[in-house]
Every structure is written in structure tokens, then in C-alpha cells.
């Protein structure tokens, strides 16, 4: 796959670059450039990112960073079985458990929420950092909802991290998930409160909490451009004369006919008078 000339491979993370040092220099550069493209396209063009990840995987399948990148690209394109296999391979190579929550979410994607819940209760969770534990909580709540256990999902999300006043990278998503679960349980007033809190924490627009809040408040957004285009159809150019209504048009036609008839009668009377004057002279 073609790679833009401005991509050198030096853009990748320092730790990943260090992993690639085990490869020949030219090969390492090629792999690095493909990994850069995966990172660039992952959010906006997951299929494109997936394509570059497959190239990197073909070139260096024994590099853990490559397996991890391939896993995230497959995950973004909902290829959950493939993603899970790549994440397991990366974990096996490094012994790192940071991927545990996303691996559990792959189990959900494969229709195995019970397996995701088993992973949420596994000892590995205690080794995760705070962000990883919050992510695991989100996955577990999602698995509860998959099983129709809505109340259990709500309880799962109730945590010190949810109640904390400080805003962390995970705060908006956690509050959003809680609000969404409350709304699904028809607890609308509470859901509105937590959507509002999610909006406060969502500084980079990672959720659509503001739209959900507006929807609950009954606010409808109108596309101003479309509205202007609709009004343009109603505008009559100043140089154009509007067509008269049918009834008005008929009235005008009758008036013209009657006017023409009166004129003809008047002309006939004048002609007869002229003929009479001529006879009298004779």
C-alpha cells in the first residue's frame, strides 16, 4: 500500500522504535512507516488502518508492537476474533496485562458476555492501573447489559471514580455510560443529571453527551443551510410578475371580453349613424 512521502517512521513512539531495532534497518523503517499509517487512520479510516496493519504484520509478526497495532486495527473494524488473537499474542510476548480490558470487550463482540464477566473478576484486573480498571468496569457493565441485567449494569458503574469531582481522561465516558444505563432503565431525571455531568467532563468531544442532553430537553436542531435553501424556493425575483390566481385570471378575461364587446357595439352604432346622415343628405 502506498505511504505518503512525509511519513518517515520516526513519528512512532520511542518504545516501539526500540522494539524494531531487532530488525534489519531497512525492514525496521518499512514497518515503522506502516505503523505510523495505522495510528493516523485508526479513527477516521479503520479499514485503511487495517490494510497497513496487515502489511506490518506480514513484515514483522514477531514484534509485539506490530501484533498490538494489528489487534487494534482489527478491533476498529469489528473483526473481534482476529483482534483477540493478536492481543493474546502481544500479551504472550510481553507479559503485559494492559490489553486485558479490550480483550474482554472482544469477547463481548463475539457474543460471549459471560466470558467478559469472568475476565472482569480475574486476578489480572488488580494489576491494571486506574485507567485500566475503569475501562474494565465499563466493559463489565456492557456485558451486564448484553445479558439484560440492567440494574446490575448500573450498580457496576457506581464507583469512587464516578463520584469523584476531579476530571480524568476516563471521566466523561464513565459518566456517559452511567447516564445511558439510567436512561435505559427509564430513570430519565437521573439520566439527564449524569448526561449534564458528562458534558462538563467531555472537554475533547469524545462522546455525544451534549446531543443526548438536548434530546432529553426536547431541543431540536435545525440545519440552517437546509432551511435557507427551502426559503429560496419561496422567493420571487423582483423582475418576475407573479401569475394571477385562476379565479382572478378568469375575471380579467371576462372583463376584456366585455370591454371588446362594448367597443364593437359602439363602433357599430357610430357606423349606422354615419350611414343615416348620408341618406338624409341624399
Amino acid at each position: 500500500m502506498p505511504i505518503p512521502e512525509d511519513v518517515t517512521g520516526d513519528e512512532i513512539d520511542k518504545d516501539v522504535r526500540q522494539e524494531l531495532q531487532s530488525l534489519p534497518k531497512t525492514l525496521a523503517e518499512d514497518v515503522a512507516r506502516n505503523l505510523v499509517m495505522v495510528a493516523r487512520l485508526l479513527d477516521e479510516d479503520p479499514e485503511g488502518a487495517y490494510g497497513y496493519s496487515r502489511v506490518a504484520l506480514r513484515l514483522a509478526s514477531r514484534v509485539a508492537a506490530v501484533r498490538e497495532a494489528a489487534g487494534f486495527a482489527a478491533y476498529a473494524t469489528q473483526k473481534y476474533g482476529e483482534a483477540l488473537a493478536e492481543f493474546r499474542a502481544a500479551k504472550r510476548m510481553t507479559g503485559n496485562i494492559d490489553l486485558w480490558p479490550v480483550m474482554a470487550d472482544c469477547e463481548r463482540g463475539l457474543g460471549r458476555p459471560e466470558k467478559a464477566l469472568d475476565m472482569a473478576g480475574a486476578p489480572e484486573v488488580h494489576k491494571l492501573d486506574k485507567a485500566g480498571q475503569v475501562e474494565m468496569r465499563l466493559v463489565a457493565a456492557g456485558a451486564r447489559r448484553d445479558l439484560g441485567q440492567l440494574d446490575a449494569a448500573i450498580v457496576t458503574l457506581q464507583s469512587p471514580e464516578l463520584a469523584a469531582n476531579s476530571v480524568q481522561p476516563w471521566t466523561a465516558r464513565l459518566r456517559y455510560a452511567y447516564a445511558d444505563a439510567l436512561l435505559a432503565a427509564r430513570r430519565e431525571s437521573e439520566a439527564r443529571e449524569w448526561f449534564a455531568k458528562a458534558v462538563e467532563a467531555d472537554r475533547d468531544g469524545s462522546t455525544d453527551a451534549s446531543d443526548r442532553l438536548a434530546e432529553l430537553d426536547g431541543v431540536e436542531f435545525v440545519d440552517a443551510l437546509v432551511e435557507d435553501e427551502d426559503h429560496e424556493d419561496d422567493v420571487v425575483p423582483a423582475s418576475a410578475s407573479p401569475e394571477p390566481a385562476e379565479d382572478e385570471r378568469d375575471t380579467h378575461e371576462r372583463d376584456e371580453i366585455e370591454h371588446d364587446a362594448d367597443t364593437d357595439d359602439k363602433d357599430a352604432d357610430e357606423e349606422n349613424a354615419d350611414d343615416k346622415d348620408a341618406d338624409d343628405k341624399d
Side-chain angles (χ1 to χ4, degrees):
M1 296 179 68
I3 298 176
E5 294 182 0
D6 65 317
V7 176
T8 65
D10 293 335
E11 301 89 342
I12 61 172
D13 185 79
K14 180 181 177 180
D15 293 337
V16 176
R17 190 182 302 113
Q18 188 172 356
E19 277 193 67
L20 295 178
Q21 287 180 355
S22 61
L23 303 173
K25 183 178 180 181
T26 302
L27 180 59
E29 290 175 354
D30 288 342
V31 173
R33 295 180 73 208
N34 278 280
L35 291 180
V36 171
M37 293 306 298
V38 173
R40 279 191 179 185
L41 299 177
L42 193 60
D43 293 331
E44 297 181 1
D45 182 11
E47 289 292 344
Y50 178 77
Y52 284 106
S53 76
R54 301 307 297 176
V55 175
L57 194 60
R58 187 173 65 249
L59 295 173
S61 61
R62 295 185 180 182
V63 176
V66 171
R67 303 301 290 265
E68 183 175 329
F72 277 110
Y75 178 80
T77 54
Q78 299 183 6
K79 297 176 177 66
Y80 297 115
E82 189 175 318
L84 185 58
E86 298 300 341
F87 289 143
R88 283 174 174 168
K91 178 179 177 295
R92 190 167 54 249
M93 291 175 177
T94 64
N96 195 327
I97 47 84
D98 290 349
L99 296 171
W100 195 255
V102 71
M103 290 169 63
D105 206 38
C106 285
E107 296 287 0
R108 284 187 61 212
L110 291 169
R112 302 194 292 247
E114 297 92 345
K115 178 63 176 175
L117 289 173
D118 288 343
M119 293 180 69
E124 284 84 349
V125 176
H126 301 294
K127 300 176 184 178
L128 295 170
D129 60 14
K130 182 62 69 176
Q133 290 179 4
V134 170
E135 194 65 36
M136 193 72 248
R137 190 177 292 276
L138 288 166
V139 173
R144 291 293 183 188
R145 292 189 64 170
D146 293 343
L147 294 169
Q149 301 171 2
L150 197 50
D151 290 339
I154 292 172
V155 172
T156 299
L157 293 169
Q158 292 171 346
S159 61
E161 293 81 17
L162 178 67
N165 291 324
S166 60
V167 174
Q168 303 295 334
W170 61 77
T171 303
R173 292 178 58 239
L174 184 59
R175 292 177 179 179
Y176 182 94
Y178 188 59
D180 191 51
L182 289 169
L183 187 59
R186 299 183 179 180
R187 294 162 60 175
E188 292 189 5
S189 61
E190 294 174 83
R192 190 204 174 285
E193 175 187 351
W194 282 97
F195 274 127
K197 290 182 178 181
V199 170
E200 292 175 0
D202 194 1
R203 296 168 180 172
D204 58 357
S206 61
T207 74
D208 64 346
S210 59
D211 292 340
R212 300 292 299 276
L213 181 61
E215 184 180 342
L216 283 174
D217 289 341
V219 176
E220 293 185 6
F221 295 99
V222 178
D223 190 327
L225 180 59
V226 173
E227 186 177 0
D228 288 343
E229 289 175 352
D230 291 341
H231 283 309
E232 285 177 3
D233 296 335
D234 300 332
V235 176
V236 178
S239 59
S241 299
E243 286 290 328
E246 185 175 351
D247 292 342
E248 185 181 354
R249 191 162 55 240
D250 292 342
T251 301
H252 288 168
E253 290 174 354
R254 285 197 300 270
D255 290 343
E256 290 175 1
I257 293 171
E258 291 174 0
H259 175 73
D260 291 342
D262 291 342
T263 302
D264 292 342
D265 290 342
K266 183 177 180 181
D267 291 342
D269 290 342
E270 291 177 353
E271 185 178 350
N272 290 335
D274 291 340
D275 292 341
K276 185 179 179 182
D277 291 339
D279 290 341
D280 289 343
K281 290 179 180 178
D282 292 338

